[in-house]
Amino acid sequence: MHLSVICNAAKVFAFMLCIDIVSSELPADQVSAMTSIYDIIHNNTAVWNSVSKTSDPCSWKGVGCTSNNSFINTISLKSSSISTSEFLPFVCNIPTLESLDVSNNQLSSIPYSFFTACGEISGLKELDFSGNRLLGSLPTFYGFPMLERLDFSANRFFGEVGLKLEMLDSLKNLDLGWNRFRGKIPTNLGRMNRLETFVLAANLFRGELPVEITKYKNLRVIDFSQNHLSGSIPVGFGEFTKLEIMILSFNSLSGGIPSSLSNITTLRRFSSNRNTLNGSIPLGMTSFLSSLDLSYNGLTGGIPSDLLSGANLDFLDLSFNDLEGPIPAIGSMKLNLLRLGSNSLNGTFPSASLGSRLGYLYADNNSLSGEIPLDLGVFKNLIHLNLANNGLGGALPPSLGDLTSLEVLNLESNGFVGGIPPQIILQLNRLEKLNIGRNLLNGSITASIGNLASLMELQLGSNQLSGEIPAMPERLQIALNLSHNLFHGPIPDSLSRLQNLQVLDLSNNRLSGAIPGLLTDLRSLTQLLLANNNLSGVVPTFGSRVTVDTEGNKDLICVRGNPAPETPQGERKKSSVVNSEVAIAAACGFPVGLLIAVIARFISRMYRSISGILPAPNSIHTPNVDFKKAMEAVSDHSNITFKTAFSTFYKAVMPSGTTYLVKKIKHTDKIVRFPQHKQLVEELEHFGSLSNPNVMIPVAYVLTLRRAYLFYDFVRGTLYDILHHRTGNKLDWPSRYNIAVGVSKGLAYLHECTFGPIILLDLCSKSILLKSLDEPQISDIELCNLIPPSSSECKYGSATAAGNVYSLGVVLLELVTGKPAVGDGDEVAKWVLSVSEWDQILDSNVCETSIGVRREMAAVVEVAIACVSVSPEMRPNAVNVVQMLLNTRQSDAVED
Ligand SMILES: *[C@@H]1O[C@H](CO)[C@@H](O)[C@H](O)[C@H]1NC(C)=O
Ligand SMILES: *[C@@H]1O[C@H](CO)[C@@H](O)[C@H](O)[C@H]1NC(C)=O
Ligand SMILES: *[C@@H]1O[C@H](CO)[C@@H](O)[C@H](O)[C@H]1NC(C)=O
Ligand SMILES: *[C@@H]1O[C@H](CO)[C@@H](O)[C@H](O)[C@H]1NC(C)=O
Ligand SMILES: *[C@@H]1O[C@H](CO)[C@@H](O)[C@H](O)[C@H]1NC(C)=O
Ligand SMILES: *[C@@H]1O[C@H](CO)[C@@H](O)[C@H](O)[C@H]1NC(C)=O
Ligand SMILES: *[C@@H]1O[C@H](CO)[C@@H](O)[C@H](O)[C@H]1NC(C)=O
Ligand SMILES: *[C@@H]1O[C@H](CO)[C@@H](O)[C@H](O)[C@H]1NC(C)=O
Ligand SMILES: *[C@@H]1O[C@H](CO)[C@@H](O)[C@H](O)[C@H]1NC(C)=O
């Protein structure tokens, strides 16, 4: 006891004397290696900013040691913004290292000495360099006797792989995806044939699929998608006995599908979409599979009778082939998604021989005939049903109303007759898109249509519908199309409540009376089509954003410069409510200009209203918000700068001259769920503490009982408005490229956020705001907590990380094609996939400038196509997208 007191005292004394002492159990050589690494990393990045060089390296972020802290065994410096490679050779001075992860940094080279030195570490099992900027050809690996996992994906490597990995005898997992490797598929990957995962996706590999790789008996995953592979799928591939996933999509493979593949009892997923496979689909293909994608090939013959009855089958896509004959019975208990569109299938609607879990059925653009069966209710889980463009007829069965999960119903271009069953309108209250245009439907629309609370698009054009136009659902947003029917009577004033509506087509009917002046209130409107009716009176003045077509109404008078109609009473009432809130918000909104969040609270009898300034870590200025002035600005409609589905943005100029954009989040229809103020403030503070130039971060807020007002630095407008016609600016390619990279960086930042990933409710060109013509900012990052995912504005991509990447892909396609992504975002995606000529895809407004620009655009299309992969697992993550986009610039130099 005496002794230990002395020892302890001595330790304290030593500590006080020489501060540099390291209280680590690690061997000196490991401490010194880590100190060298520290010096380089610390100079280069912020990653160890809060770490003292003299502390035990085992306590540093990303450094893993054995449980008794005697050796270092893992180093993980992923996503740390490291751009220097100088620390790498020092890593090799740690002979006990088992795993090194430097993924998602900005490394551009690996020093040669790294390979010689680290090759001697006998226990090194794992090297992850994915998502960097590594440029050059692959080095030849010697040593590395225990290396099991090598990940070089999403870099800029080029050249052939050849025999360079032959000596990696322990190699199990190899990922070389998303580079510019060329030549043949390498087949010498460790002499012990231990390979289990083999990913070469998105490179420039050519030649045939080598049957030799069946020597890798443990192979579980093959992903060779997005290369230039040709020839046929070897029959010998049926010899794999452990293969679970085989992805061969986006190549030039030809010939038939070998029936031997159905012998692989372990195979869960087989994707060979976007090749030129021909012949028919063999029997037994889905005996074991859960996912089969053969879309976009040249397959012929009938769909085998057992294909839709696989016991595990969950996903099947056969669209865009030349398949013919009937759709066999759907016998699988698990089938969730079935795409059969754009074939030559005939016969009647498929029957479900077992209770079906089917959620998504697409059989559009075929030659189906007959009626929709009455027992349709079996498919009660259907969410999307698309039978458009077939030869179906007869009356629409009332049992359609039993499909109460339906969100999209598309029966366009068939021969349906009779009335629209009231059940469809009364019971399908999740419906977001209803398209029954181009049929022979008659009768009137029931007044209860106004109750379809989720409906965003209604297409009834080209039928024989009659009667007066009833009140329409107020959430309609994408389009209301009643054109080419027999509607009569006046255009109802009630249409002016459709505040989100973008396209209103009432043309080619028998409508009479005046055009209601209230329609000029439709603030989201871009197209108003009224041609060929019996309308009379004076055409009201619409804003310059609205294209109005009133041709063919002989009693209609157009007067230039007639006064805009008065503000309606409803509007006045609304603004007085705002004003009473203003008074309260203003009363409590004075603490201004503080560094940290200051929250003032005010409780009135009726409203509880609070406001505050949010912490802005990297902001150059402390927000100087005058809440009173700001609330005045938002009570004035003329200050509206633009709108999105859930928010209205106002411009508010402060007395100091600073301009803010104030977002008012609507709280109508109970769409927006406001949590308790306290919780909301906590969340806002969390968002306010973020810092990224490509994310729109709130700087202050005012919360009332019913509304939230969030303040941002001012931006010009939405990408959608600027890209698609509304302003005179034509975005050139360099701006579009910078927008693409910026948006991807913003998304990567949100997904990699150190507090935990922030997943966007949705992302689209309408939720991306532009600070300048090449500085995009992702907006509405707060909405994920306020709005249920099913009501998102841009109807594509689910609220998951992979769903966000899908949405990002759609935005990239909009930038390259110049086409808006209306409707389901996957229309622009599908369109791109279906067009083979670049000339048709690339926006001719920008691509004619130079060959270099065209190549870059084409490369961005490739990235976008990866993002919109049908299967979420095949999509790159946002960090990789950034890298891939940056690669599209630099790789040109080394290509060809
Ligand atoms: C770190 O930066 C300092 C000053 O910027 C420099 O003197 C030192 O040599 C740098 N250390 C390393 C290891 O690069
Ligand atoms: C620490 O643990 C490792 C195994 O994890 C062992 O090899 C080593 O001998 C231990 N060292 C000490 C000092 O206990
Ligand atoms: C499947 O395997 C069985 C037995 O291993 C073999 O007899 C049969 O020919 C194989 N089928 C195909 C289509 O290769
Ligand atoms: C499939 O295409 C190949 C050419 O790639 C052709 O030789 C063969 O006859 C075709 N088979 C069928 C069944 O059409
Ligand atoms: C319809 O299918 C045919 C092939 O059967 C295809 O060429 C066409 O592009 C498809 N149309 C649409 C709108 O998908
Ligand atoms: C379907 O098409 C095939 C030819 O592809 C034809 O023989 C058959 O009679 C058609 N069936 C129906 C129900 O139209
Ligand atoms: C609708 O059309 C059917 C024939 O397809 C006809 O029997 C019926 O009377 C029509 N109904 C109305 C309201 O015009
Ligand atoms: C409305 O529907 C008709 C018929 O389906 C179509 O021709 C027309 O283009 C649609 N209008 C708009 C503005 O899309
Ligand atoms: C906008 O709001 C300000 C208050 O910030 C107000 O003075 C002004 O009249 C409003 N209208 C316009 C067009 O700026």
Side-chain angles (χ1 to χ4, degrees):
M1 174 150 181
H2 211 103
L3 197 65
S4 94
V5 169
I6 293 169
C7 287
N8 280 341
K11 267 191 198 159
V12 171
F13 190 59
F15 180 70
M16 282 159 53
L17 273 187
C18 43
I19 293 162
D20 256 340
I21 197 165
V22 174
S23 61
S24 173
E25 311 286 334
L26 290 176
D29 56 344
Q30 301 205 0
V31 174
S32 118
M34 289 312 295
T35 314
S36 308
I37 294 170
Y38 180 99
D39 283 342
I40 296 163
I41 300 277
H42 197 259
N43 264 15
N44 190 250
T45 74
V47 56
W48 286 331
N49 254 358
S50 57
V51 165
S52 154
K53 182 171 159 181
T54 58
S55 59
D56 183 353
C58 291
S59 68
W60 299 357
K61 182 171 174 256
V63 180
C65 297
T66 52
S67 58
N68 55 17
N69 274 8
S70 18
F71 304 117
I72 294 174
N73 50 21
T74 62
I75 296 181
S76 169
L77 293 168
K78 64 178 171 189
S79 307
S80 302
S81 308
I82 303 172
S83 56
T84 173
S85 303
E86 286 168 37
F87 68 98
L88 285 171
F90 293 101
V91 169
C92 307
N93 293 348
I94 300 169
T96 54
L97 194 69
E98 292 172 12
S99 163
L100 173 65
D101 180 354
V102 289
S103 59
N104 297 323
N105 284 293
Q106 289 133 32
L107 305 179
S108 52
S109 65
I110 306 177
Y112 186 70
S113 58
F114 172 84
F115 292 102
T116 49
C118 275
E120 286 171 16
I121 301 181
S122 58
L124 189 58
K125 291 200 181 95
E126 201 170 28
L127 282 180
D128 189 344
F129 280 90
S130 61
N132 279 285
R133 299 176 184 171
L134 298 171
L135 181 70
S137 54
L138 197 66
T140 302
F141 281 71
Y142 295 106
F144 297 95
M146 296 295 279
L147 193 69
E148 292 179 359
R149 185 168 93 90
L150 181 62
D151 191 343
F152 274 170
S153 61
N155 277 288
R156 300 172 188 172
F157 284 108
F158 54 82
E160 303 200 2
V161 177
L163 300 176
K164 289 170 174 171
L165 304 177
E166 187 184 14
M167 300 304 199
L168 294 178
D169 283 342
S170 301
L171 195 61
K172 287 185 180 168
N173 301 306
L174 175 64
D175 192 344
L176 300 179
W178 308 107
N179 282 287
R180 311 289 281 181
F181 286 116
R182 54 176 60 246
K184 294 195 164 167
I185 301 254
T187 53
N188 295 285
L189 303 163
R191 292 158 301 183
M192 312 297 281
N193 299 339
R194 294 198 168 131
L195 206 61
E196 294 177 11
T197 305
F198 191 7
V199 179
L200 301 177
N203 279 287
L204 304 167
F205 288 106
R206 285 183 186 277
E208 304 203 351
L209 290 168
V211 74
E212 298 100 284
I213 61 171
T214 52
K215 72 186 172 187
Y216 300 116
K217 300 249 178 282
N218 292 328
L219 216 47
R220 289 187 299 105
V221 177
I222 290 176
D223 184 352
F224 296 166
S225 58
Q226 300 185 65
N227 280 288
H228 302 301
L229 302 172
S230 54
S232 56
I233 302 174
V235 174
F237 272 16
E239 286 163 24
F240 285 115
T241 54
K242 295 188 179 168
L243 197 63
E244 294 167 16
I245 296 177
M246 176 151 69
I247 305 174
L248 306 173
S249 320
F250 289 90
N251 279 291
S252 306
L253 299 171
S254 56
I257 298 167
S259 61
S260 59
L261 295 185
S262 58
N263 258 1
I264 313 175
T265 59
T266 48
L267 197 61
R268 287 184 284 112
R269 174 168 174 211
F270 176 47
S271 299
S272 189
N273 50 309
R274 292 241 138 212
N275 279 291
T276 54
L277 300 178
N278 65 3
S280 55
I281 302 172
L283 273 170
M285 268 311 278
T286 55
S287 306
F288 306 105
L289 287 178
S290 64
S291 167
L292 175 62
D293 190 347
L294 298 172
S295 58
Y296 293 95
N297 278 289
L299 298 172
T300 53
I303 300 178
S305 58
D306 64 343
L307 198 77
L308 310 189
S309 298
N312 303 317
L313 194 64
D314 163 68
F315 175 106
L316 177 61
D317 193 344
L318 302 177
S319 49
F320 288 91
N321 279 289
D322 295 318
L323 298 168
E324 58 189 18
I327 302 176
I330 300 170
S332 165
M333 290 291 279
K334 293 187 176 163
L335 192 61
N336 176 38
L337 183 145
L338 177 58
R339 281 187 204 263
L340 302 171
S342 298
N343 280 286
S344 306
L345 301 169
N346 65 7
T348 54
F349 190 81
S351 62
S353 63
L354 298 170
S356 179
R357 281 194 39 194
L358 204 57
Y360 301 86
L361 172 58
Y362 307 87
D364 52 304
N365 197 16
N366 279 289
S367 306
L368 301 179
S369 57
E371 303 193 2
I372 294 184
L374 296 176
D375 62 352
L376 194 70
V378 192
F379 295 104
K380 61 178 183 303
N381 296 309
L382 272 179
I383 297 170
H384 287 196
L385 175 60
N386 187 346
L387 300 173
N389 206 2
N390 276 289
L392 296 166
L396 294 175
S399 54
L400 273 172
D402 297 341
L403 308 180
T404 50
S405 304
L406 269 189
E407 293 176 4
V408 174
L409 176 59
N410 189 347
L411 302 175
E412 190 188 16
S413 297
N414 279 287
F416 293 113
V417 297
I420 303 171
Q423 289 85 349
I424 293 186
I425 284 160
L426 288 171
Q427 290 160 223
L428 300 186
N429 45 29
R430 300 211 186 147
L431 216 50
E432 295 176 0
K433 170 174 174 171
L434 175 60
N435 186 347
I436 41 182
R438 296 179 190 273
N439 279 287
L440 302 165
L441 298 168
N442 64 5
S444 56
I445 309 176
T446 131
S448 52
I449 194 155
N451 298 337
L452 284 177
S454 306
L455 201 65
M456 304 216 290
E457 180 175 0
L458 179 59
Q459 297 283 355
L460 299 178
S462 294
N463 279 290
Q464 289 150 23
L465 298 167
S466 55
E468 298 201 3
I469 299 174
M472 286 291 169
E474 291 189 13
R475 283 206 64 207
L476 277 176
Q477 183 192 339
I478 294 164
L480 170 58
N481 188 344
L482 305 178
S483 69
H484 297 274
N485 277 292
L486 306 169
F487 290 109
H488 64 83
I491 298 175
D493 280 357
S494 60
L495 292 184
S496 67
R497 291 198 215 117
L498 310 180
Q499 285 293 316
N500 297 319
L501 190 66
Q502 292 166 10
V503 174
L504 177 57
D505 189 349
L506 304 177
S507 62
N508 297 287
N509 278 289
R510 297 173 180 175
L511 300 170
S512 54
I515 302 171
L518 285 174
L519 291 189
T520 58
D521 269 8
L522 293 175
R523 299 191 184 278
S524 305
L525 201 64
T526 57
Q527 270 190 72
L528 176 62
L529 307 177
L530 302 173
N532 304 320
N533 279 290
N534 301 324
L535 299 167
S536 55
V538 175
V539 180
T541 308
F542 289 88
S544 59
R545 290 181 167 194
V546 189
T547 315
V548 184
D549 181 4
T550 55
E551 287 284 295
N553 288 277
K554 60 181 184 337
D555 296 331
L556 212 51
I557 307 159
C558 289
V559 180
R560 286 204 162 272
N562 60 343
E566 294 243 342
T567 316
Q569 280 199 328
E571 288 284 340
R572 278 220 192 96
K573 258 196 212 137
K574 255 194 226 156
S575 48
S576 71
V577 172
V578 172
N579 278 332
S580 70
E581 286 177 8
V582 167
I584 296 153
C588 65
F590 292 118
V592 162
L594 299 184
L595 270 171
I596 321 159
V598 173
I599 299 158
R601 285 156 200 270
F602 180 87
I603 299 171
S604 81
R605 226 173 287 161
M606 279 179 64
Y607 298 103
R608 220 160 61 87
S609 158
I610 61 174
S611 58
I613 304 277
L614 293 165
N618 287 5
S619 178
I620 29 165
H621 60 90
T622 303
N624 56 11
V625 179
D626 181 329
F627 287 105
K628 185 164 182 284
K629 259 263 153 338
M631 289 299 106
E632 274 167 35
V634 302
S635 67
D636 184 345
H637 274 73
S638 62
N639 279 331
I640 294 180
T641 319
F642 47 86
K643 285 184 156 195
T644 60
F646 298 106
S647 327
T648 309
F649 288 85
Y650 296 81
K651 181 177 181 172
V653 184
M654 299 294 107
S656 63
T658 316
T659 305
Y660 289 103
L661 199 57
V662 180
K663 172 161 89 180
K664 178 171 88 180
I665 302 180
K666 294 172 208 163
H667 185 207
T668 52
D669 304 334
K670 303 203 165 55
I671 294 164
V672 180
R673 291 193 203 119
F674 275 6
Q676 294 287 307
H677 276 174
K678 186 163 174 282
Q679 188 194 338
L680 192 51
V681 169
E682 273 170 20
E683 277 169 13
L684 287 174
E685 280 177 9
H686 167 62
F687 287 122
S689 70
L690 302 176
S691 166
N692 184 280
N694 298 119
V695 176
M696 208 171 170
I697 292 161
V699 299
Y701 60 86
V702 174
L703 306 178
T704 71
L705 197 61
R706 296 186 189 161
R707 293 189 175 79
Y709 302 91
L710 307 184
F711 293 63
Y712 305 88
D713 290 330
F714 192 73
V715 297
R716 303 168 62 120
T718 68
L719 172 60
Y720 181 89
D721 285 351
I722 291 173
L723 186 59
H724 306 305
H725 68 72
R726 294 212 194 165
T727 59
N729 291 307
K730 271 273 165 265
L731 278 176
D732 61 2
W733 176 247
S735 298
R736 295 190 196 194
Y737 177 82
N738 287 338
I739 291 170
V741 173
V743 173
S744 310
K745 282 184 173 170
L747 189 64
Y749 172 81
L750 292 169
H751 283 184
E752 299 287 308
C753 193
T754 42
F755 309 110
I758 296 174
I759 305 298
L760 296 169
L761 180 66
D762 218 331
L763 174 70
C764 64
S765 57
K766 289 180 187 166
S767 67
I768 294 165
L769 305 185
L770 294 188
K771 200 171 170 198
S772 73
L773 285 184
D774 53 9
E775 288 176 287
Q777 294 194 330
I778 296 174
S779 80
D780 286 351
I781 60 170
E782 316 86 1
L783 291 187
C784 52
N785 295 334
L786 300 181
I787 295 178
S790 62
S791 352
S792 69
E793 167 174 18
C794 1
K795 281 315 303 165
Y796 35 94
S798 52
T800 59
N804 286 175
V805 168
Y806 185 97
S807 309
L808 175 61
V810 174
V811 172
L812 296 182
L813 290 176
E814 276 184 78
L815 286 166
V816 177
T817 62
K819 291 191 191 308
V822 286
D824 312 346
D826 68 348
E827 277 162 24
V828 79
K830 277 190 166 169
W831 173 76
V832 166
L833 294 180
S834 68
V835 172
S836 48
E837 288 299 310
W838 287 117
D839 292 326
Q840 288 172 265
I841 296 176
L842 307 184
D843 187 348
S844 56
N845 285 315
V846 294
C847 74
E848 275 161 8
T849 31
S850 78
I851 290 187
V853 164
R854 288 175 60 86
R855 288 176 71 164
E856 219 166 85
M857 291 175 79
V860 172
V861 172
E862 304 272 356
V863 178
I865 285 175
C867 296
V868 298
S869 298
V870 174
S871 149
E873 315 101 75
M874 258 189 77
R875 298 174 200 154
N877 66 29
V879 175
N880 289 345
V881 175
V882 175
Q883 202 52 57
M884 286 153 59
L885 286 173
L886 294 173
N887 287 355
T888 62
R889 283 243 146 135
Q890 272 82 15
S891 53
D892 282 349
V894 298
E895 245 287 29
D896 295 309

